Amino acid sequence: MKNFVSVHDVTNIDKLVNQALAYKADPFKDKSLGAGKRIGCLFLNPSMRTRLSTQIAAQNLGMEAIVFNVGSEGWQLEFEEEAIMSGSTVEHVKDAAPIFGKYFDILAIRTFPSLKNRDDDYSELYLKQFIKYAGIPVVSLESATLHPLQSLTDIVTITETSRHQINTNNTLPKGNKKPKIVLSWAPHVKPLPQCVANSFSQWINAWGMADFIITHPEDYELSEEFTIGATISHDQDKALEGADFVYVKNWSTFSDYGKIYESDPNWMLTNKKLERTNNAKVMHCLPVRRNVELSDEVLDGKHSIVTLEASNRVWAAQAVIAEILRTNG
Ligand code: CP
């Protein structure tokens, strides 16, 4: 694996999932793999889980992890080629990224979308410029359109908790049904990126081990680039029937980009709605707005596996960093 920015960088999802679970069982089994190596974690936007889990993962492999909050503490970067830098930007990425490439062995970057211009955000210019100019492997810590470390974690968590006994060779034992996974839109007070929902859809579709349904109000369609293969429903109650996992997430509109059309509180998951499911486990990437996106009763109840999910971020990051170290020497 050269870079880790989407599911397309992964040749075998289940191998990576198994590696993550192996690190969970024995965190320090490769404690010398990254000895003498350094990972730079660049944050253009805030983070708690991604920042801490990536640092812990790197340290478990014997690497030094250095965090740089570029967005709040660094020079304002320019990303456009041939820009006349007479405005607010101070340093071009084509000058900064090669320096990161000299300081670090792996560069990990978080860069959110603007939600103002869909073409710009979906071009992933910032991430691509870092890949182009850093000259070292790049890991996405969430980009304008995707959050692959979160999605790998989510599949690790589903595999770990699934009652459907997914075999380690990516097959189901004879007679076993695929788990039913529902990605359910939730209300929010702010327009949020589509990254987590796009990425979850992309990974679950590529994994192929689930009966996958996405439910959202009309006009909240995600890009087909990521959802193709999933069933789309505007009827949340129907979608929830028999679900084994419900992944709750808000996203803003994709077509009329970055808007909130409605924030109908009836879309918030409750224990009453969960009665329709197969005693479903409830997931959310966090942070979550309580009693807006998800009710207290669900988050604090027996269905919620959000803390387990967040704790698994370490093992997913460790599996990815280890794979990059092995591939790139
Ligand atoms: N889920 C997630 O990426 O959390 P943070 O934004 O806190 O890193």
Side-chain angles (χ1 to χ4, degrees):
M1 194 192 301
K2 170 73 176 154
N3 301 304
F4 182 78
V5 299
S6 88
V7 78
H8 301 307
D9 295 308
V10 179
T11 46
N12 187 330
I13 294 174
D14 282 285
K15 194 168 157 227
L16 207 53
V17 168
N18 290 336
Q19 183 60 260
L21 290 170
Y23 282 133
K24 182 165 186 167
D26 187 359
F28 303 111
K29 75 190 184 81
D30 287 326
K31 63 177 188 294
S32 302
L33 184 65
K37 308 257 184 197
R38 205 176 283 131
I39 183 169
C41 301
L42 270 52
F43 287 88
L44 282 79
N45 307 97
S47 168
M48 182 179 93
R49 281 142 289 265
T50 307
R51 172 181 174 142
L52 296 175
S53 61
T54 306
Q55 284 179 274
I56 295 166
Q59 285 165 10
N60 286 352
L61 295 166
M63 288 187 95
E64 185 183 4
I66 294 183
V67 171
F68 179 24
N69 296 313
V70 192
S72 56
E73 295 164 1
W75 300 115
Q76 193 173 340
L77 291 173
E78 175 63 57
F79 290 88
E80 293 293 339
E81 296 287 355
E82 298 176 22
I84 298 167
M85 290 171 54
S86 55
S88 56
T89 55
V90 177
E91 182 159 32
H92 202 285
V93 67
K94 68 163 72 172
D95 299 314
I99 299 167
F100 296 135
K102 297 292 179 208
Y103 291 166
F104 304 119
D105 300 282
I106 299 175
L107 193 59
I109 301 155
R110 166 164 284 200
T111 168
F112 285 171
S114 68
L115 291 180
K116 292 191 173 83
N117 182 310
R118 190 176 78 182
D119 290 345
D120 283 355
D121 287 346
Y122 275 68
S123 76
E124 291 283 12
L125 176 70
Y126 287 20
L127 196 60
K128 284 182 180 160
Q129 292 287 65
F130 276 113
I131 292 170
K132 183 173 174 186
Y133 291 115
I136 56 172
V138 169
V139 173
S140 167
L141 300 174
E142 188 169 350
S143 67
T145 64
L146 294 170
H147 195 352
L149 278 176
Q150 180 67 53
S151 308
L152 173 59
T153 303
D154 296 333
I155 294 184
V156 168
T157 308
I158 289 166
T159 301
E160 186 185 16
T161 58
S162 182
R163 293 179 296 266
H164 292 264
Q165 297 181 322
I166 296 159
N167 285 334
T168 53
N169 62 352
N170 195 21
T171 58
L172 293 161
K174 219 169 173 191
N176 272 31
K177 276 198 316 133
K178 289 181 177 181
K180 179 173 176 178
I181 299 176
V182 179
L183 169 61
S184 184
W185 182 90
H188 205 282
V189 290
K190 282 175 63 183
L192 294 192
Q194 294 100 32
C195 313
V196 170
N198 283 345
S199 194
F200 186 74
S201 303
Q202 185 190 48
W203 279 72
I204 295 294
N205 282 324
W207 190 42
M209 296 299 292
D211 174 12
F212 183 38
I213 298 182
I214 305 171
T215 184
H216 56 73
E218 285 183 31
D219 300 320
Y220 277 88
E221 271 73 19
L222 295 162
S223 167
E224 275 188 18
E225 177 187 349
F226 307 113
T227 61
I228 195 127
T231 303
I232 313 291
S233 170
H234 298 144
D235 185 340
Q236 188 193 40
D237 286 348
K238 201 158 165 238
L240 290 174
E241 273 166 22
D244 297 295
F245 292 89
V246 184
Y247 198 100
V248 177
K249 187 72 188 88
N250 170 269
W251 60 88
S252 59
T253 53
F254 172 71
S255 292
D256 180 20
Y257 191 58
K259 307 269 190 322
I260 298 181
Y261 276 176
E262 67 159 299
S263 216
D264 182 354
N266 288 325
W267 275 83
M268 186 177 74
L269 198 65
T270 58
N271 278 342
K272 184 81 193 146
K273 284 179 190 264
L274 282 169
E275 285 173 12
R276 294 174 171 274
T277 68
N278 182 25
N279 203 18
K281 293 178 170 53
V282 175
M283 303 175 72
H284 188 289
C285 63
L286 305 180
V288 63
R289 296 236 182 186
R290 279 179 173 254
N291 303 311
V292 176
E293 281 181 271
L294 257 176
S295 56
D296 277 340
E297 63 174 10
V298 172
L299 278 165
D300 298 333
K302 66 183 169 93
H303 293 279
S304 173
I305 55 168
V306 298
T307 305
L308 172 74
E309 184 184 359
S311 70
N312 282 340
R313 293 292 306 270
V314 172
W315 320 118
Q318 194 166 338
V320 167
I321 295 168
E323 180 70 19
I324 289 176
L325 288 171
R326 287 196 181 94
T327 313
N328 296 276

